[in-house]
Amino acid sequence: MVESKQQWKAWIYLAPAIVLLLVFTVWPIVNTVRMAFLEDYSIAMASGGEASFRLGVGNFVKVAQYQDFLVCLKNTVLLCVITVPISTLLALLVAVALNSIKPLRKTLQTIFFLPYVTNSIAIGMVFAAMFNIVGSLGTRRPLIQTVGIVNNVIEFFGGSYVNWINNGSSYWANMFVLIVYIVWNALPFKILILLGGLQSVNKQYYEAAKVDSTPRWRVLWRITVPLLSPMIAYVVITGFIGGFKEYTSIVGIFGESLGPAHAPGRLNTMVGFIYDALAQHHQGRASAAALILFGIILIVTLINLQVSKKRVHY
Amino acid sequence: MKIVLQNLTKAFPSRNKKSSEEVIAVNNFNFEIPDGKLIGLLGPSGCGKSTTLYMISGLQKPTSGRIFFGDDDVTELSTENRGIGLVFQNYALYPHMTVKQNILFPLQNLKGEDKLTKEQMLERAYQAAKLVQIDQLLDRKPSELSGGQQQRVAIARALVKMPRVLLLDEPLSNLDARLRLQTREEIRRIQQETKITTVFVTHDQEEAMSISDMIVVMKTGIVQQIGKPQDVYDDPANLFVAKFLGTPPINVFEGQVKGGKLYIGSDAVLELTNVADQPVTVGIRPEGFLLDDNGPLKCKPVNVEVMGRDVSVVSTHEASSNPFVRSIINADNKIDIGQEFVRYAIKPHKIFIFNKETEERIYFEVK
């Protein structure tokens, strides 16, 4: 009797969280699946009752046929595949460096952590300003000096300025800016996790390596990385998941046009595609795209876990 | 390779920032460790023995003094370049590598003319594994080994690059009693086979005595006595050394030298010369007692513990500094606990007297 009473208490304690999860997580997921499999579903047209929609995979077929969708998919995958390894490697190096210095460590830790607590749209605008060129290409020089700090630096060292993000810029120039931004934005969290891992590594392994005259790079590769592998796996997996959901960074830099003036939408991503579909009241199409994104993230995460089984030493 | 320690001193800055007082962990240590010997650094915790070991390894820098390996001054040399093998107290085996990879690791770091081919490395690793008898376990991870096996892997890893000096930090402290006995003999065997000058640190006097060629007894950073284990035991330089060595420990009494006689309480146990009249501290080894009906030392028996070959007689004496006096005598003797006194004669070479203030040994001659 006492036990069942206890159980009721437990359920009451859990109730607030369960109710919130049901309303804001479980129901939307169920609803998304439902909408995705109703042909041409849209809320505006559903007022007449849902019986008017047939079950089917039409939404998925439509999504796949959109030229836009393929662009979004390509951008998303490219950004993921490029930024996750770069940011993980950089974060590892920064964490190891931070862990091996004493003076200024706290200060540097704070500086490296700042991007994490700063609004990403605001940072995006700062990046847009940094990579800016001012004036139209033909008349810019010699009338106005470049304003973007990056081009200023390039010209200071004798290079010629690059049209990074303005009208007429190339796709890879745009991508470069995006990658720099995303990597920089992803560093703090990764550094935080890896530094935490490093500080829990027994110092004696390093003393033992020292006694055995181990070169530094070998200590890093054969001792630090394997001992940190659980944290690295975590950082990579969450990095991929975050990467597939990339969107705000593009809005931050390029605004709602999601591309330079001459090619709007060129840098759109999966999440952007879903937003667009919703904005156009195609809830069925948006749901289908969301499920596709979910499937991709699931598969990539499973691959990650499979790889880490062999490489991670717990 | 002999090791010379010259005026070796290590001071740590005080934790309390206001006082500039330093903690002297090792104070002016002078010692020449002969080539190919096994040396035990012995003392209670905080005596500076591990600090000394880590200074020899180079992981800690001495505040002053010099360290020589052979004729090379290695004081300024970093750990990497000293060519030492070090076995850590908790072994510090790389947990993600197999036993084989652990042992190979130091070899893979060799550079220049020392560089080995893959076959040579495997051969050397296998030899080292065989020496410590773990050649059956090469593909296991450290977490799959017992404490004693991990210990041996750690020794193999330290030995495989054929170091000039082997250092062991409390190598047996994580093992159970039986394994400790077995492993210490193995360390002895390995050391004698390889002839590598070896220094090990321990707080266990029995361990140090049983396998060392020489022991160094330390206390609060100061070397108390250096010598062969038996010599130090038979001829302690002060009360601390006498108390620290030996199980069961030495019996300590308040005593007095008066008119050429040594008194313990009111019992005149020994006639001696060359010692001025003064109060003294007297130490008698448990094996220094002889049952004798006319013996001068009268103790009140409490208990007799049978140990097979010997018996240990627990008794009390008014002048004893410890609650009980423990003597070890041959089991052929029958002791009646009911009797009021047991009387002992004392073997003169098992009795030591110390200055009451300085606790330094006072040497005497038996009349």
Side-chain angles (χ1 to χ4, degrees):
Chain A
M1 284 302 114
V2 178
E3 247 173 50
S4 64
K5 225 180 192 176
Q6 295 277 340
Q7 272 198 2
W8 271 112
K9 266 190 187 171
W11 282 112
I12 289 169
Y13 295 148
L14 287 172
I18 290 179
V19 168
L20 287 175
L21 281 173
L22 283 174
V23 173
F24 293 107
T25 306
V26 178
W27 171 240
I29 291 174
V30 172
N31 213 12
T32 304
V33 175
R34 190 177 63 92
M35 291 190 292
F37 286 98
L38 291 174
E39 301 270 355
D40 285 326
Y41 182 90
S42 87
I43 290 176
M45 295 168 67
S47 48
E50 282 176 13
S52 53
F53 300 107
R54 276 187 306 113
L55 275 174
V57 294
N59 286 324
F60 293 89
V61 176
K62 280 221 175 94
V63 166
Q65 282 169 346
Y66 267 96
Q67 191 59 39
D68 262 9
F69 177 75
L70 296 179
V71 169
C72 292
L73 187 61
K74 181 182 126 196
N75 286 338
T76 309
V77 171
L78 268 179
L79 285 176
C80 264
V81 170
I82 296 171
T83 60
V84 173
I86 294 177
S87 61
T88 307
L89 195 68
L90 279 179
L92 181 68
L93 295 177
V94 172
V96 169
L98 273 179
N99 196 39
S100 58
I101 57 167
K102 266 228 174 91
L104 289 180
R105 181 199 280 184
K106 285 267 176 286
T107 318
L108 287 172
Q109 238 171 305
T110 311
I111 291 172
F112 277 110
F113 198 65
L114 276 178
Y116 196 69
V117 289
T118 313
N119 183 299
S120 49
I121 298 285
I123 301 173
M125 290 166 82
V126 172
F127 264 71
M130 281 165 60
F131 284 93
N132 204 4
I133 51 172
V134 171
S136 72
L137 277 178
T139 58
R140 194 184 61 87
R141 311 179 108 235
L143 297 173
I144 317 164
Q145 274 300 321
T146 54
V147 168
I149 191 170
V150 176
N151 276 336
N152 274 337
V153 169
I154 292 175
E155 293 198 337
F156 178 81
F157 285 105
S160 63
Y161 69 94
V162 177
N163 184 359
W164 293 109
I165 53 173
N166 296 69
N167 197 1
S169 56
S170 73
Y171 175 73
W172 281 107
N174 300 163
M175 277 302 259
F176 179 82
V177 176
L178 263 183
I179 288 164
V180 171
Y181 171 87
I182 293 171
V183 166
W184 181 76
N185 205 22
L187 278 182
F189 177 70
K190 294 190 162 92
I191 292 173
L192 187 76
I193 298 289
L194 295 179
L195 196 59
L198 275 175
Q199 278 161 357
S200 67
V201 168
N202 189 342
K203 299 261 179 304
Q204 248 174 19
Y205 296 130
Y206 295 109
E207 291 189 340
K210 215 172 171 188
V211 167
D212 292 334
S213 333
T214 319
R216 274 184 157 207
W217 60 268
R218 201 150 181 269
V219 173
L220 178 68
W221 194 241
R222 290 285 308 271
I223 297 174
T224 305
V225 168
L227 289 176
L228 274 187
S229 56
M231 285 79 185
I232 294 175
Y234 173 74
V235 157
V236 168
I237 290 170
T238 54
F240 268 107
I241 293 172
F244 276 107
K245 297 198 286 195
E246 204 58 64
Y247 179 59
T248 39
S249 55
I250 294 131
V251 177
I253 293 176
F254 294 98
E256 282 185 69
S257 68
L258 303 174
H262 70 286
R266 184 164 75 179
L267 297 161
N268 202 357
T269 57
M270 298 277 288
V271 172
F273 181 88
I274 295 167
Y275 277 138
D276 288 348
L278 282 175
Q280 293 158 26
H281 301 292
H282 294 301
Q283 283 87 2
R285 209 164 76 208
S287 300
L291 283 186
I292 293 173
L293 180 60
F294 170 75
I296 293 174
I297 292 179
L298 186 69
I299 290 167
V300 169
T301 305
L302 287 177
I303 293 173
N304 268 327
L305 287 174
Q306 202 60 34
V307 171
S308 64
K309 252 188 205 165
K310 279 188 200 150
R311 301 261 167 212
V312 175
H313 310 275
Y314 289 103
Chain B
M1 183 72 49
K2 70 173 182 187
I3 306 171
V4 183
L5 308 179
Q6 241 175 39
N7 304 337
L8 199 63
T9 298
K10 176 76 182 180
F12 291 106
S14 167
R15 274 182 183 250
N16 187 347
K17 277 183 184 166
K18 279 178 192 162
S19 80
S20 58
E21 222 175 285
E22 292 176 322
V23 179
I24 311 281
V26 178
N27 196 346
N28 203 22
F29 193 152
N30 283 293
F31 185 31
E32 182 174 329
I33 300 172
D35 182 29
K37 295 290 186 207
L38 180 61
I39 304 299
L41 293 180
L42 181 62
S45 58
C47 74
K49 55 192 191 297
S50 285
T51 308
T52 306
L53 191 84
Y54 282 106
M55 283 196 283
I56 298 174
S57 80
L59 288 172
Q60 286 185 6
K61 294 261 164 280
T63 311
S64 64
R66 316 228 48 95
I67 301 167
F68 296 87
F69 285 1
D71 296 325
D72 308 339
D73 185 342
V74 298
T75 316
E76 304 299 329
L77 210 59
S78 67
T79 305
E80 290 93 326
N81 302 319
R82 288 199 186 186
I84 54 155
L86 177 58
V87 176
F88 289 88
Q89 184 168 2
N90 48 15
Y91 316 138
L93 296 174
Y94 307 121
H96 54 283
M97 299 185 199
T98 62
V99 168
K100 187 160 85 185
Q101 288 168 330
N102 262 291
I103 300 176
L104 279 172
F105 195 78
L107 295 179
Q108 290 160 344
N109 294 329
L110 296 176
K111 284 183 293 213
E113 51 191 77
D114 297 332
K115 209 171 164 125
L116 302 170
T117 66
K118 231 175 179 165
E119 290 75 40
Q120 285 171 316
M121 282 191 212
L122 282 172
E123 177 61 29
R124 284 264 289 272
Y126 188 69
Q127 275 176 6
K130 212 161 181 185
L131 185 69
V132 297
Q133 295 166 357
I134 47 156
D135 43 322
Q136 308 297 321
L137 307 170
L138 287 176
D139 293 321
R140 300 245 194 120
K141 290 267 178 71
S143 57
E144 297 163 344
L145 301 178
S146 72
Q149 290 167 333
Q150 289 184 28
Q151 155 87 50
R152 286 189 252 171
V153 176
I155 294 178
R157 185 177 68 179
L159 281 176
V160 72
K161 58 179 180 178
M162 311 210 177
R164 302 200 280 178
V165 172
L166 180 63
L167 306 171
L168 304 121
D169 182 16
E170 301 257 7
L172 306 178
S173 57
N174 285 348
L175 306 180
D176 67 50
R178 176 187 284 246
L179 206 53
R180 197 176 300 177
L181 215 68
Q182 196 183 331
T183 313
R184 80 182 188 204
E185 257 127 54
E186 227 149 279
I187 291 177
R188 182 68 180 148
R189 174 182 66 80
I190 293 162
Q191 195 272 332
Q192 286 184 335
E193 272 180 44
T194 56
K195 293 278 175 232
I196 293 174
T197 309
T198 303
V199 181
F200 83 103
V201 158
T202 180
H203 59 262
D204 182 344
Q205 54 90 21
E206 206 183 322
E207 197 174 298
M209 302 255 292
S210 59
I211 62 172
S212 309
D213 291 313
M214 285 180 105
I215 57 173
V216 178
V217 184
M218 298 180 73
K219 180 192 166 192
T220 59
I222 299 166
V223 174
Q224 305 292 309
Q225 194 169 359
I226 299 175
K228 289 183 182 157
Q230 194 65 49
D231 294 350
V232 177
Y233 181 80
D234 288 340
D235 198 8
N238 56 38
L239 184 61
F240 173 80
V241 176
K243 276 175 159 173
F244 200 77
L245 296 186
T247 37
I250 196 164
N251 297 293
V252 181
F253 301 89
E254 297 301 317
Q256 200 169 17
V257 176
K258 206 161 74 183
K261 284 181 178 163
L262 173 63
Y263 289 91
I264 294 178
S266 53
D267 304 334
V269 294
L270 213 61
E271 291 190 15
L272 37 75
T273 58
N274 281 355
V275 183
D277 290 2
Q278 58 185 307
V280 291
T281 304
V282 184
I284 306 175
R285 292 277 182 215
E287 68 274 20
F289 296 87
L290 285 172
L291 275 182
D292 183 345
D293 289 341
N294 302 314
L297 187 66
K298 291 188 289 188
C299 294
K300 207 173 152 20
V302 177
N303 193 12
V304 176
E305 292 169 5
V306 181
M307 301 189 298
R309 189 167 46 86
D310 301 317
V311 293
S312 166
V313 182
V314 182
S315 53
T316 57
H317 189 278
E318 54 186 4
S320 171
S321 304
N322 313 333
F324 296 108
V325 178
R326 191 178 280 272
S327 60
I328 294 177
I329 55 178
N330 197 299
D332 296 341
N333 297 292
K334 291 279 170 282
I335 296 124
D336 177 12
I337 299 192
Q339 66 192 358
E340 197 183 350
F341 290 113
V342 275
R343 298 181 76 112
Y344 294 114
I346 311 295
K347 297 177 191 167
H349 64 283
K350 290 290 182 187
I351 185 165
F352 313 113
I353 61 177
F354 305 95
N355 184 305
K356 215 166 158 54
E357 247 75 271
T358 63
E359 302 194 341
E360 288 303 313
R361 177 90 175 272
I362 300 170
Y363 293 90
F364 61 84
E365 278 166 30
V366 183
K367 203 185 267 173

